[in-house]
């Protein structure tokens, strides 16, 4: 397949602002792609070479790209650099400089998608001494054969600036239309994605075998399953009502979610974001190897810091010391962990994701060889609010965050990749005057004054609107940051600065600096109010008003385990706002009993 076909399509996609049009263009591209190359086209169109969980990064720095461009175009690096400063877009600059080439060097070789992909793959996998020079030579070679338009897209791809804005869900829609017979096929195709996290594999399967292939799609060890997530409610009564009068309540451990894959003596651990975190937790890897009595398994556990002397659970913050590349052994000694398993998704050839929860739990209990370092989550079948409340208090006393209340109905399947009412979380914070913490995306910042000159004074934070796929501002937060936080934030956010507001960010406020939505912070607020300036859930409570979080404070938790799309949604803020109103409108307990006496 000629690379120019996808470059042309990218041009058109970039030019449109309408989502439907974008999907149509993508459908056209996918239909024009043959089965043997479709996975590559799908990865490239999202600026990748492999699914995210493989952890292969293109990682070409702008400086290196400029060097390659200079070599391919025969122009000076300094000229390219100064043009780039004006254009702000390395893709445009590349096209322009390659167009200046002498005619004789034009199109020595027609670029195919396969060749571009293989070259980028080679570049990504080149390491060790001399890697920088080799990568540069490979890129320069590619650019020499490229037309200006092709060069623009190649450069954007390798520097991570593709910016086509094609989210997973748009790709799934396009696949459904192109190969599944219409949008109705989206659900089936999405499930295949949810249990494999690999859009390339899904695309190949549906393009080659149609929906029949997708129906037979199976989980595979070492391909992470997208996690099932919980809704939240504020009282045992509401929870039981929602779950049909009874549920299994489980301790909600406060650690890091881990999805463990085991096969042929090899173990891989994936984080909630499906990154491979096996190197961080050699102790957890050993536990899975030794204490899981199955040849092949996929299971989920919460990895919690513990005190080896007492067996007590330690706060989440201690586990943060385990998030490191170097000094892992020492950290392992100092901050030991335990695993509390809560899901069995696949055991020895059997996909359990569509089995009801009680069956999955049985399978789990069968394979976990319990010890003081690994055990199934403590649980209890509860049938009334008092039982639930008592169990909740017990969980809190043991150092947990609260309870996960799980449906035991016939339909209690593992809802990979979605947040639903089969799991409902019940946490301590709901009980105090304060609202629960929320996880917000940093989309902008305001310069600091006084002591904070040179760093940011406040951050503009947003929720995720999962229907519109946008980020909506909900608060401006300048509290709770230590001096070290301010320095770290300033450095980290530099990488994400963009010249103007990202098109997925909805804001009426003008920030001093705008960022690509990337970093997620945990924030504790005092209350949620209607707001004329913030765009979160705009018009959903009252026309012309959004919702805002008042008195926000950074809790110290950088939610690096969450992608911006995993942030608290605008819908959740609406639910929290309604829950809060309900509490206010109910007469306080003390007054109730006063009148009774
Ligand atoms: P979410 O994962 O729902 O977006 P979050 O990361 O902020 O939100 P919480 O809202 O606190 O986390 O709750 C969900 C998390 O609780 C799970 O992702 C999992 O890591 C953890 N957890 C602890 N114990 C359990 C359990 N018994 N069953 C399921 N999840 C549990």
């Amino acid at each position: 397949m000629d690379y120019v076909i996808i470059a042309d399509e990218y041009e058109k996609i970039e030019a449109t602002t309408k989502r439907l049009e974008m999907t149509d263009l993508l459908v056209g591209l996918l239909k024009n792609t043959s089965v043997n190359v479709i996975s590559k086209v799908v990865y490239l169109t999202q600026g990748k070479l492999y699914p995210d969980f493989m952890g292969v990064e293109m990682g070409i720095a702008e400086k290196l790209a400029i060097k390659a461009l200079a070599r391919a175009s025969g122009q000076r690096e300094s000229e390219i650099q100064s043009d780039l400063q004006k254009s702000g877009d390395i893709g445009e600059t590349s096209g322009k400089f390659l167009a200046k080439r002498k005619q004789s060097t034009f199109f020595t070789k027609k670029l195919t998608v396969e060749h571009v992909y293989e070259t980028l793959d080679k570049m990504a996998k080149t390491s060790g001494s001399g890697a920088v020079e080799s990568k540069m030579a490979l890129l320069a070679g590619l650019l020499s054969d490229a037309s200006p338009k092709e060069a623009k897209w190649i450069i954007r791809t390798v520097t991570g600036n593709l910016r086509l804005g094609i989210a997973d869900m748009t790709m799934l829609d396009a696949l459904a239309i192109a190969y599944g017979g219409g949008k109705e096929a989206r659900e089936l195709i999405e499930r295949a994605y949810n249990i494999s996290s690999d859009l390339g594999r899904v695309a190949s399967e549906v393009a080659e075998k149609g929906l029949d292939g997708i129906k037979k799609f199976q989980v595979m060890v070492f391909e992470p399953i997208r996690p099932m997530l919980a809704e939240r409610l504020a009282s045992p009564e509401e929870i039981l009502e929602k779950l049909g009068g009874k549920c299994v309540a489980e301790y909600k451990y406060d650690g890091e979610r881990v999805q463990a894959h085991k096969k042929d003596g090899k173990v891989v651990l994936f984080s909630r974001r499906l990154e491979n975190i096996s190197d961080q937790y050699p102790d957890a890897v050993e536990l899975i190897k030794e204490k899981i009595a199955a040849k092949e398994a996929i299971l989920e556990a919460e990895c919690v810091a513990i005190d080896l002397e007492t067996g007590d659970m330690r706060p989440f913050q201690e586990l943060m010391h385990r998030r490191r590349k170097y000094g892992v052994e020492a950290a392992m000694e100092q901050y030991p962990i335990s695993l509390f398993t809560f899901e069995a998704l696949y055991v020895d050839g059997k996909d359990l994701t569509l089995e009801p929860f009680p069956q999955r739990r049985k399978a789990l209990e069968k394979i976990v060889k319990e010890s003081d370092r690994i055990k199934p989550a403590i649980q209890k079948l509860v049938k009334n609010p008092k039982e639930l409340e008592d169990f909740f208090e017990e969980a809190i006393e043991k150092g947990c965050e609260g309870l996960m209340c799980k449906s035991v109905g016939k339909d209690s399947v593992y809802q990979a990749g979605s947040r639903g009412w089969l799991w409902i979380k019940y946490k301590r914070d709901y009980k105090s005057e304060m609202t629960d913490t929320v996880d917000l995306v940093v989309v902008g910042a305001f310069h600091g004054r006084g002591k904070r000159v040179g760093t940011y004074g406040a951050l503009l934070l947003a929720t995720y609107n999962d229907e519109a796929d946008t980020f909506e501002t909900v608060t401006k937060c300048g509290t709770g940051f230590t001096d070290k936080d301010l320095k770290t934030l300033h450095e980290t956010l530099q990488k994400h600065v963009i010249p103007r507001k990202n098109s997925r960010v909805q804001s009426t406020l003008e920030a001093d600096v705008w960022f690509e939505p990337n970093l997620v912070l945990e924030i504790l607020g005092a209350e949620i109010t209607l707001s004329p300036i913030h765009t979160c859930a705009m018009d959903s409570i009252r026309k012309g008003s959004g919702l805002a979080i008042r008195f926000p404070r950074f809790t110290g938790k950088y939610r690096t385990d969450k992608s911006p799309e995993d942030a608290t949604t605008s819908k959740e803020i609406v639910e929290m706002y309604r829950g809060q109103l309900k509490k206010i409108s109910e007469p306080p307990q003390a007054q109730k009993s006063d009148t009774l006496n």
Side-chain angles (χ1 to χ4, degrees):
M1 180 179 184
D2 290 340
Y3 185 73
V4 69
I5 298 180
I6 66 177
D8 278 339
E9 219 55 35
Y10 290 173
E11 292 283 328
K12 290 186 216 152
I13 291 173
E14 187 188 28
T16 179
T17 48
K18 296 194 192 93
R19 204 169 177 134
L20 284 178
E21 224 171 87
M22 188 198 263
T23 312
D24 284 347
L25 289 164
L26 199 53
V27 169
L29 174 63
L30 293 171
K31 277 187 171 162
N32 265 332
T33 305
S34 63
V35 171
N36 58 349
V37 76
I38 197 164
S39 61
K40 294 189 170 87
V41 170
V42 165
Y43 297 134
L44 286 175
T45 303
Q46 290 195 305
K48 301 170 190 172
L49 293 169
Y50 294 96
D52 287 339
F53 64 83
M54 305 265 293
V56 179
E57 302 233 344
M58 257 176 290
I60 297 291
E62 202 169 82
K63 242 175 144 179
L64 193 69
I66 291 173
K67 272 199 164 66
L69 187 56
R71 188 184 284 184
S73 65
Q75 317 276 330
R76 273 206 292 274
E77 276 175 52
S78 56
E79 281 176 43
I80 299 176
Q81 184 73 55
S82 73
D83 186 80
L84 176 59
Q85 244 147 33
K86 273 181 253 146
S87 77
D89 175 357
I90 188 155
E92 293 293 342
T93 295
S94 309
K96 192 161 142 193
F97 277 79
L98 280 185
K100 287 192 199 167
R101 256 179 325 194
K102 290 209 184 76
Q103 199 67 27
S104 63
T105 58
F106 259 31
F107 314 126
T108 43
K109 196 167 153 194
K110 205 168 191 188
L111 282 184
T112 61
V113 174
E114 291 86 338
H115 176 62
V116 171
Y117 182 92
E118 274 152 29
T119 313
L120 301 190
D121 194 28
K122 242 188 240 162
M123 284 163 59
K125 288 178 180 160
T126 303
S127 62
S129 71
V132 175
E133 176 55 35
S134 315
K135 285 183 193 210
M136 204 268 280
L138 283 165
L139 183 56
L142 208 49
L143 294 175
S144 307
D145 291 333
S147 68
K149 183 167 47 190
E150 290 170 330
K152 167 178 160 185
W153 291 104
I154 291 172
I155 284 282
R156 279 199 183 175
T157 307
V158 296
T159 54
N161 286 307
L162 200 57
R163 295 195 189 144
L164 286 176
I166 295 182
D168 294 349
M169 296 305 144
T170 315
M171 188 61 90
L172 288 168
D173 275 344
L175 284 169
I177 298 167
Y179 292 106
K183 254 196 155 170
E184 319 74 66
R186 152 81 187 264
E187 204 177 311
L188 264 177
I189 299 177
E190 187 174 343
R191 179 177 144 77
Y193 172 54
N194 284 335
I195 61 171
S196 67
S197 312
D198 184 348
L199 274 175
R201 176 155 90 95
V202 173
S204 297
E205 197 76 12
V206 72
E208 190 181 349
K209 302 182 192 146
L211 282 187
D212 283 343
I214 288 296
K215 280 182 198 148
K216 293 192 196 115
F217 205 90
Q218 287 273 324
V219 298
M220 257 169 72
V221 181
F222 304 134
E223 276 195 0
I225 297 169
R226 300 183 69 229
M228 172 168 179
L229 302 170
E231 284 286 351
R232 58 176 105 197
L233 282 174
S235 77
E237 288 80 4
E238 286 170 291
I239 292 174
L240 283 164
E241 195 191 316
K242 199 85 189 174
L243 293 173
K246 65 174 180 188
C247 69
V248 157
E250 262 177 19
Y251 278 12
K252 184 177 185 310
Y253 299 92
D254 195 9
E256 176 166 17
R257 186 173 187 155
V258 167
Q259 193 179 105
H261 289 235
K262 175 180 178 180
K263 187 177 179 175
D264 299 333
K266 185 181 165 204
V267 169
V268 174
L269 305 178
F270 293 104
S271 69
R272 185 188 180 287
R273 284 184 81 165
L274 311 183
E275 285 154 342
N276 186 331
I277 48 167
S278 316
D279 290 345
Q280 265 174 48
Y281 293 114
D283 39 1
V285 167
E286 273 314 301
L287 282 168
I288 300 289
K289 271 189 193 161
E290 284 174 18
K291 303 286 184 189
I292 297 301
K295 279 206 178 76
E296 293 184 13
I298 303 175
L299 41 102
E300 284 193 301
E302 192 79 356
C303 179
V304 183
I306 52 150
D307 181 332
L308 277 186
E309 317 250 286
T310 60
D312 287 347
M313 286 186 266
R314 304 288 307 148
F316 175 81
Q317 277 71 10
E318 290 206 355
L319 200 67
M320 290 299 92
H321 297 284
R322 296 292 303 267
R323 228 175 240 171
R324 55 172 68 223
K325 273 203 179 126
Y326 307 102
V328 173
E329 292 288 322
M332 202 166 85
E333 291 269 302
Q334 207 179 347
Y335 303 100
I337 53 98
S338 270
L339 292 178
F340 296 93
T341 56
F342 58 81
E343 272 295 346
L345 302 172
Y346 173 89
V347 177
D348 288 334
K350 192 162 172 29
D351 181 343
L352 301 170
T353 53
L354 294 177
E355 302 278 321
F357 175 54
Q359 255 79 323
R360 301 200 302 277
R361 170 75 187 199
K362 256 191 219 139
L364 181 69
E365 286 172 6
K366 237 180 173 167
I367 58 169
V368 178
K369 290 194 263 173
E370 227 179 288
S371 81
D372 54 355
R373 301 295 292 279
I374 183 168
K375 53 177 71 119
I378 291 178
Q379 59 163 224
K380 185 179 182 178
L381 181 70
V382 294
K383 294 186 174 153
N384 63 56
K386 166 116 186 12
E387 270 180 321
L388 207 154
E389 191 63 39
D390 289 351
F391 195 52
F392 172 78
E393 277 168 21
E394 178 191 309
I396 295 293
E397 204 184 290
K398 295 273 160 60
C400 292
E401 259 192 309
L403 295 176
M404 285 296 256
C405 302
K406 303 185 174 181
S407 164
V408 287
K410 281 202 195 82
D411 62 346
S412 57
V413 297
Y414 187 85
Q415 287 177 321
S418 69
R419 191 182 295 283
W421 292 102
L422 294 176
W423 282 8
I424 303 174
K425 51 195 176 192
Y426 182 40
K427 292 205 273 186
R428 177 174 40 198
D429 305 324
Y430 303 123
K431 306 212 70 180
S432 69
E433 289 303 299
M434 307 286 279
T435 49
D436 182 19
T437 57
V438 286
D439 300 318
L440 303 176
V441 188
V442 184
V443 295
F446 301 87
H447 294 312
R449 281 188 230 144
K451 252 175 67 185
R452 289 197 182 173
V453 167
T455 59
Y456 298 126
L459 301 178
L460 183 60
L461 302 172
T463 50
Y464 178 55
N465 179 333
D466 56 350
E467 272 163 13
D469 193 25
T470 52
F471 297 94
E472 301 174 330
T473 72
V474 67
T475 198
K476 234 171 98 173
C477 177
T479 315
F481 303 105
T482 61
D483 288 346
K484 188 162 162 249
D485 285 327
L486 290 172
K487 202 163 154 263
T488 316
L489 277 167
H490 197 256
E491 285 164 9
T492 315
L493 287 166
Q494 281 309 307
K495 288 191 274 238
H496 305 298
V497 171
I498 45 175
R500 64 193 82 84
K501 186 163 67 70
N502 182 288
S503 58
R504 288 166 80 202
V505 171
Q506 306 293 320
S507 174
T508 58
L509 287 171
E510 260 311 311
D512 293 332
V513 189
W514 292 105
F515 306 113
E516 198 82 63
N518 186 287
L519 182 68
V520 179
L521 302 179
E522 188 187 73
I523 301 292
L524 184 64
E527 55 184 349
I528 303 168
T529 57
L530 286 168
S531 157
I533 52 170
H534 284 290
T535 54
C536 170
M538 183 54 85
D539 296 332
S540 61
I541 303 282
R542 191 161 69 208
K543 208 161 168 27
S545 294
L547 290 174
I549 294 175
R550 288 186 70 191
F551 310 119
R553 156 181 284 277
F554 175 48
T555 65
K557 263 195 203 175
Y558 292 85
R559 294 301 309 254
T560 46
D561 60 329
K562 285 198 166 185
S563 69
E565 286 82 3
D566 291 325
T568 300
T569 59
S570 305
K571 249 190 270 158
E572 285 181 84
I573 300 286
V574 171
E575 277 159 27
M576 288 168 91
Y577 175 76
R578 293 209 169 110
Q580 180 186 291
L581 279 191
K582 220 191 280 169
K583 267 191 225 156
I584 296 168
S585 59
E586 278 166 7
Q589 290 297 311
Q591 279 180 18
K592 252 195 206 165
S593 50
D594 283 346
T595 47
L596 280 177
N597 291 334

